[in-house]
Amino acid sequence: MALFRAYRRFVVVAYQFLPLLVAFARDRRRFLLFGRSRSVSSETRRRRARSLLDSLLTLGPTFIKLGQLLSTRPDVLPPEYIEEFEELQDRVPPAPWSEARTVLETDLGPVEETFDEFDTDAISGASLGQVYVGELDGREVAVKVRRPGVEELVEADLRVIKFSLPVLMRFVDDARSFSMQTLANEFSRVIREEMDYAREREMLREIRANFTDEPRVRIPEVLESYSSGRVLTMEYVPGTKISDLDDLDNLGLDRTMLAETLQRVYLQMIVEDGVFHADPHPGNLAVQDDGTIVFYDFGMSGRVDPFIQEKIVEFYMAVARQDTDAILDTLIEMGTLSPAADREVMSEVMELAIADARGEDIEQYRVQQIVAQIEDTLYEFPLRLPANLALVLRVATVVEGVCVTLDPDFDFIAVATDYLGEEGYIEAGVRDALEDVGDQLSATTESLFRVPPKLEGVLDTVDRGDLEVGVEFPNDPPVFRKLALRLVYGILLAFALPSTALLYTFAPLETAVAAALLAALLAVLLYRSFKQEQGVRAQPQFTRQNLRQRREE
């Protein structure tokens, strides 16, 4: 029966997606089986993205969630699709109370006996569940109930996605095919986790414990004895929606302070705690009369391992310094950028991203704009985006969007830098850097004290006039001979200069003069080797101008 339902669902899904798949096929071969490829304009991509969005909404809960996940994967979809899917809100009409009641009573018992009072009109509905308000022992509670029958529908849709994946991968290149395969695996895991209210209860409890001593944050308490794998009962915490600016102003709240608090909370979750609320859109954030921020709906939540936490800190610090080399190193270490990537090209991309996002003051550019530029690059090259990092990246942009709504002049980088400094991350980074420099200096010092005895023997040979230097490159091309000569001259000069200084201090003057003359001779030879005709020439594949042209196209 389940297999029959999956096949029937496959027909429905294929009917929705077939026109779009034909259009994609014609992009590769104009007449499907033959013909040249055709270019696709940004307007065409955006029109197709809207059509695909309508299909996702028509197909229901599973595909709505798929669209939300796709909005976090710029390595899979072009930027026009990402922008359209970002508007996808998980808000659908709730299921009839009679169906929800069956789930609730199967898990907790008769509603009239379990709750003192219970409002059968849902206060919110989503694709996978809906929320009701009740009363237990004199306190208001929010009761989240899984949508009836959603498990069977999701499992059928996951089978459809599994059947469809080999067909879809015929329309993309190898790198993006890999990304689609990992995305399908990730989606199966994420949607099953979100339907598991026992997991949500665990994540909610853990995150709440991390903010027990933070008076500016309120996370609802879970009522364990009234919860199950399909029902989650929490304390009901009302508040003003965080995007209702007029209501916040009427309460006399400092919106800049609210934005800073929200940003710091997510920095703590991601950088310090390693477990975070991953759905921070305004519908899941509220503000109480005293300015306390309330968090709702922990169905979408994630974890960050210590290695990624460390790299996120390094990424923020590199963006703040506009250090493109450090940004690239961090992306490579996180697995986002291939080590074989052309660093010169990618540096140009990062420079353009930061330059495009920068305002009048170097400190006031937006991480959201930088992320958008990087996401464009992710699709164009394309690169791979690890699943856990994709979620963190999207959380960062959504949180900043909320913060900028609260305060249009909000400076994400300044708050992040202050937070990292206060928590000791910047100090630790400087300390590690100084330790590295100290190790290098120690090694250099040891080399300097080992070199003079050896150099003294060489200088004795110079004094006797017996020094001969011969360099042979049998059967080597001239290019490699020149490179090798420069390398030899450079190494000898690097040893000669500090050794001359030491000899001047500790040895007779004649010896120091001889060393200085040798260093001067080496410097002249090295200089002349670079003045000769260059043996290595390369025509750059990319320049800043044609990078801009690529972006415009």
Side-chain angles (χ1 to χ4, degrees):
M1 184 66 182
L3 189 60
F4 173 74
R5 181 172 184 174
Y7 280 120
R8 186 177 63 183
R9 185 68 170 167
F10 181 83
V11 173
V12 174
V13 173
Y15 175 77
Q16 288 290 331
F17 289 157
L18 187 59
L20 206 55
L21 290 176
V22 171
F24 287 149
R26 293 192 62 202
D27 291 342
R28 300 186 68 182
R29 292 186 176 89
R30 186 177 295 271
F31 301 104
L32 295 182
L33 299 179
F34 59 91
R36 299 176 60 183
S37 62
R38 59 182 184 180
S39 60
V40 181
S41 66
S42 177
E43 292 76 10
T44 300
R45 282 180 173 176
R46 193 169 297 280
R47 186 176 66 252
R48 291 178 180 177
R50 290 169 182 157
S51 175
L52 180 57
L53 181 60
D54 291 339
S55 296
L56 296 176
L57 291 170
T58 301
L59 291 171
T62 310
F63 288 91
I64 291 175
K65 286 294 179 184
L66 179 60
Q68 290 178 320
L69 186 60
L70 283 169
S71 72
T72 71
R73 297 301 299 265
D75 55 331
V76 176
L77 290 178
E80 293 84 359
Y81 287 76
I82 298 295
E83 292 171 8
E84 292 296 328
F85 286 7
E86 282 175 348
E87 303 300 322
L88 188 61
Q89 294 294 318
D90 188 11
R91 292 291 178 267
V92 297
W97 161 243
S98 58
E99 298 178 10
R101 179 172 188 156
T102 302
V103 175
L104 186 59
E105 294 191 339
T106 300
D107 286 24
L108 300 185
V111 174
E112 293 79 6
E113 298 177 11
T114 305
F115 297 92
D116 299 334
E117 292 184 13
F118 197 93
D119 187 350
T120 58
D121 292 327
I123 60 173
S124 70
S127 57
L128 301 180
Q130 48 209 54
V131 180
Y132 299 89
V133 175
E135 188 173 316
L136 274 171
D137 300 326
R139 65 187 299 194
E140 277 193 302
V141 293
V143 184
K144 185 176 180 181
V145 181
R146 187 193 296 170
R147 181 176 282 268
V150 73
E151 305 98 318
E152 293 80 6
L153 178 60
V154 167
E155 290 302 326
D157 286 341
L158 291 178
R159 290 192 186 95
V160 169
I161 293 172
K162 183 179 179 180
F163 295 155
S164 306
L165 197 60
V167 178
L168 294 174
M169 289 194 295
R170 295 178 62 87
F171 296 91
V172 298
D173 54 40
D174 291 340
R176 197 159 293 113
S177 175
F178 175 85
S179 292
M180 290 181 66
Q181 181 65 61
T182 58
L183 174 67
N185 296 336
E186 176 194 356
F187 176 63
S188 298
R189 176 185 58 81
V190 167
I191 196 167
R192 288 189 176 108
E193 287 180 349
E194 197 164 347
M195 288 192 298
D196 183 3
Y197 287 2
R199 177 187 180 274
E200 180 177 351
R201 185 168 69 248
E202 176 186 345
M203 299 293 279
L204 194 158
R205 186 169 55 242
E206 183 176 350
I207 295 174
R208 186 173 189 272
N210 292 334
F211 290 92
T212 301
D213 299 326
E214 177 52 73
R216 298 172 298 176
V217 176
R218 182 77 178 274
I219 296 173
E221 179 185 0
V222 177
L223 279 68
E224 299 283 351
S225 57
Y226 294 91
S227 301
S228 68
R230 299 190 299 173
V231 178
L232 179 60
T233 303
M234 308 159 283
E235 65 172 326
Y236 178 67
V237 184
T240 301
K241 189 175 179 179
I242 200 167
S243 58
D244 291 342
L245 303 185
D246 292 338
D247 293 340
L248 296 178
D249 291 339
N250 292 335
L251 292 172
L253 298 176
D254 185 340
R255 287 195 270 126
T256 300
M257 185 60 67
L258 289 175
E260 182 172 339
T261 299
L262 182 64
Q263 177 59 36
R264 285 175 172 269
V265 166
Y266 272 95
L267 284 170
Q268 178 182 326
M269 288 182 186
I270 294 171
V271 173
E272 188 171 343
D273 299 335
V275 55
F276 62 98
H277 175 261
D279 197 12
H281 67 79
N284 287 336
L285 300 169
V287 183
Q288 295 185 303
D289 293 352
D290 61 355
T292 301
I293 298 179
V294 184
F295 292 79
Y296 305 123
D297 193 355
F298 288 77
M300 187 179 292
S301 52
R303 296 186 182 275
V304 189
D305 62 72
F307 175 77
I308 294 294
Q309 286 179 300
E310 178 185 348
K311 296 308 164 187
I312 289 172
V313 172
E314 293 178 7
F315 178 80
Y316 278 133
M317 294 171 62
V319 170
R321 298 193 310 269
Q322 297 185 98
D323 187 342
T324 56
D325 286 333
I327 292 175
L328 294 180
D329 290 340
T330 304
L331 293 177
I332 289 173
E333 291 170 358
M334 286 192 292
T336 299
L337 180 63
S338 168
D342 189 326
R343 289 184 68 95
E344 182 177 356
V345 173
M346 294 306 301
S347 292
E348 289 277 357
V349 170
M350 295 303 164
E351 287 176 7
L352 289 174
I354 294 176
D356 289 345
R358 189 171 56 200
E360 295 180 0
D361 187 339
I362 195 67
E363 301 295 334
Q364 292 181 353
Y365 52 82
R366 301 282 183 214
V367 164
Q368 190 170 10
Q369 293 170 304
I370 296 173
V371 167
Q373 297 283 353
I374 294 175
E375 287 179 347
D376 291 353
T377 305
L378 283 173
Y379 182 80
E380 184 179 359
F381 277 89
L383 308 177
R384 297 174 181 176
L385 192 59
N388 55 350
L389 188 59
L391 200 56
V392 170
L393 200 65
R394 181 54 52 195
V395 166
T397 58
V398 174
V399 168
E400 195 203 0
V402 175
C403 291
V404 172
T405 300
L406 291 169
D407 177 11
D409 297 323
F410 181 74
D411 191 340
F412 186 100
I413 290 296
V415 174
T417 304
D418 289 344
Y419 174 84
L420 295 176
E422 292 169 9
E423 297 300 319
Y425 290 102
I426 293 178
E427 180 182 347
V430 172
R431 184 169 58 250
D432 292 342
L434 290 176
E435 288 177 358
D436 291 341
V437 172
D439 293 341
Q440 294 175 7
L441 184 59
S442 176
T444 302
T445 303
E446 291 176 6
S447 298
L448 289 176
F449 280 101
R450 286 198 303 265
V451 167
K454 299 178 181 179
L455 185 59
E456 187 172 359
V458 176
L459 295 176
D460 289 340
T461 305
V462 174
D463 288 337
R464 292 194 302 268
D466 296 333
L467 178 66
E468 293 183 2
V469 178
V471 181
E472 295 184 3
F473 297 91
N475 301 321
D476 280 358
V479 168
F480 293 103
R481 187 177 301 114
K482 292 177 183 178
L483 292 176
L485 279 172
R486 292 170 187 169
L487 182 61
V488 171
Y489 292 152
I491 292 174
L492 291 176
L493 183 60
F495 280 115
L497 291 174
S499 299
T500 300
L502 288 174
L503 290 173
Y504 179 76
T505 303
F506 300 108
L509 181 61
E510 295 80 3
T511 305
V513 170
L517 291 175
L518 177 60
L521 175 61
L522 290 170
V524 170
L525 292 173
L526 182 62
Y527 174 77
R528 290 187 61 188
S529 73
F530 280 98
K531 290 293 288 183
Q532 297 171 2
E533 183 180 1
Q534 301 293 320
V536 179
R537 288 197 179 104
Q539 181 66 32
Q541 290 182 305
F542 295 91
T543 64
R544 183 180 297 272
Q545 287 76 17
N546 61 35
L547 274 174
R548 290 198 181 98
Q549 184 178 355
R550 283 163 61 93
R551 292 181 57 81
E552 290 173 359
E553 291 175 354

